[in-house]
Amino acid sequence: TRSTRPQRLLKAVRKHAARGDPQSVISAIDHFCRHSEWAMNIGDEKGSILDSVVSELNPEKVLELGTYCGYSTVRIARLLPPGARLITLEFNAGYAAIARQVIAWAGLEDRVQLVEGASEDWIPRMKEHFGIETFDFVFLDHWKDRYLPDTKLMEDCGLLRKGTVLLADNVICPGVPDYLQYVRNSLSYKSCYFKSHLEYTKAEDGLEKSVFLG
Ligand SMILES: O=c1[nH]cnc2c(O)cc(-c3ccc(F)cc3)cc12
Ligand SMILES: [Mg+2]
């Protein structure tokens, strides 16, 4: 049977990237998506904004909602000190299987824990199952209809602290209007928009950075 796009993306990583070299994995995926097949990775333009937010924050505890093939997982994990931990949640088993191999190819499996399942099922279990008190940084990149309910769920579960940074992908395309309205109007957040483009295209998209004020 025909291979899947994530399988073809992994094949390109194995062919063109060097094992243990996260930057070569990032470049191989960007090249594949520009020249072979578009895929919904954050990409190099928005990825550079993600890099700058992570580098400035130096987070110890990171949560990523939506792994897909692990492109942003690799982008974030390569910037973390070895003691730091990134937990990434992926609902789709096929995506998770590819992401594990991409993360391993980059040599970053020691600081990444990929969990398969629904965000709403795992967020309430972060403390007792992973020994997490609060997250320093949360990257939202899963499903637009889950950004707002999962953010409220993280608040209710006490997973956010004064200064926790939420960074949301795709706030313009596909768009998350209910989430934007919430973080931009809530007194519990200081929010700002980073204008950019939909990965590998000229369409507008952007990232919303929101600091939880407690
Ligand atoms: O569903 C998505 N989850 C996470 N990230 C996405 C992302 O960066 C882009 C898109 C997307 C954007 C335009 C389009 F025509 C088709 C799909 C979807 C997701
Ligand atoms: Mg995205």
Side-chain angles (χ1 to χ4, degrees):
T1 53
R2 186 171 146 68
S3 64
T4 65
R5 182 165 306 184
Q7 284 171 330
R8 295 191 292 273
L9 181 148
L10 172 62
K11 196 171 166 196
V13 166
R14 287 205 173 113
K15 184 171 179 191
H16 300 291
R19 282 189 75 94
D21 177 354
Q23 189 52 57
S24 73
V25 169
I26 292 164
S27 301
I29 293 172
D30 284 333
H31 188 275
F32 173 82
C33 292
R34 277 193 187 289
H35 303 291
S36 301
E37 302 181 59
W38 186 91
M40 61 178 172
N41 316 117
I42 190 172
D44 45 353
E45 189 180 313
K46 288 186 291 178
S48 298
I49 299 168
L50 171 63
D51 288 357
S52 57
V53 170
V54 172
S55 300
E56 185 189 345
L57 196 61
N58 258 317
E60 291 283 315
K61 300 280 182 247
V62 179
L63 176 63
E64 176 180 61
L65 301 177
T67 317
Y68 188 43
C69 295
Y71 175 87
S72 52
T73 321
V74 168
R75 284 202 83 111
I76 297 167
R78 88 191 197 286
L79 299 174
L80 301 180
R85 285 284 167 279
L86 191 167
I87 295 173
T88 181
L89 302 185
E90 178 50 58
F91 179 72
N92 182 302
Y95 296 169
I98 297 301
R100 287 187 202 287
Q101 297 174 76
V102 168
I103 293 159
W105 195 267
L108 294 168
E109 62 275 27
D110 65 317
R111 62 198 85 167
V112 174
Q113 182 151 15
L114 195 160
V115 180
E116 260 179 74
S119 49
E120 64 267 28
D121 296 340
W122 281 103
I123 286 170
R125 304 183 58 198
M126 281 297 153
K127 293 194 185 232
E128 42 97 10
H129 201 274
F130 298 101
I132 294 279
E133 278 303 300
T134 55
F135 286 106
D136 304 312
F137 179 63
V138 182
F139 179 51
L140 297 90
D141 191 26
H142 52 336
W143 182 239
K144 57 188 179 3
D145 296 348
R146 292 300 317 171
Y147 280 28
L148 183 53
D150 284 346
T151 296
K152 290 181 171 175
L153 187 55
M154 287 187 286
E155 289 175 18
D156 297 345
C157 295
L159 288 168
L160 309 182
R161 53 132 174 110
K162 265 189 199 5
T164 296
V165 169
L166 306 187
L167 187 68
D169 190 24
N170 310 117
V171 298
I172 302 300
C173 178
V176 281
D178 61 342
Y179 174 81
L180 277 189
Q181 194 275 338
Y182 180 72
V183 291
R184 289 176 174 175
N185 296 286
S186 163
L187 295 177
S188 298
Y189 292 92
K190 177 87 186 82
S191 206
C192 65
Y193 174 60
F194 292 83
K195 183 178 163 83
S196 184
H197 295 93
L198 177 68
E199 49 265 29
Y200 318 114
T201 78
K202 292 183 166 43
E204 182 180 345
D205 190 21
L207 301 171
E208 188 80 2
K209 178 187 174 188
S210 307
V211 184
F212 187 60
L213 303 174

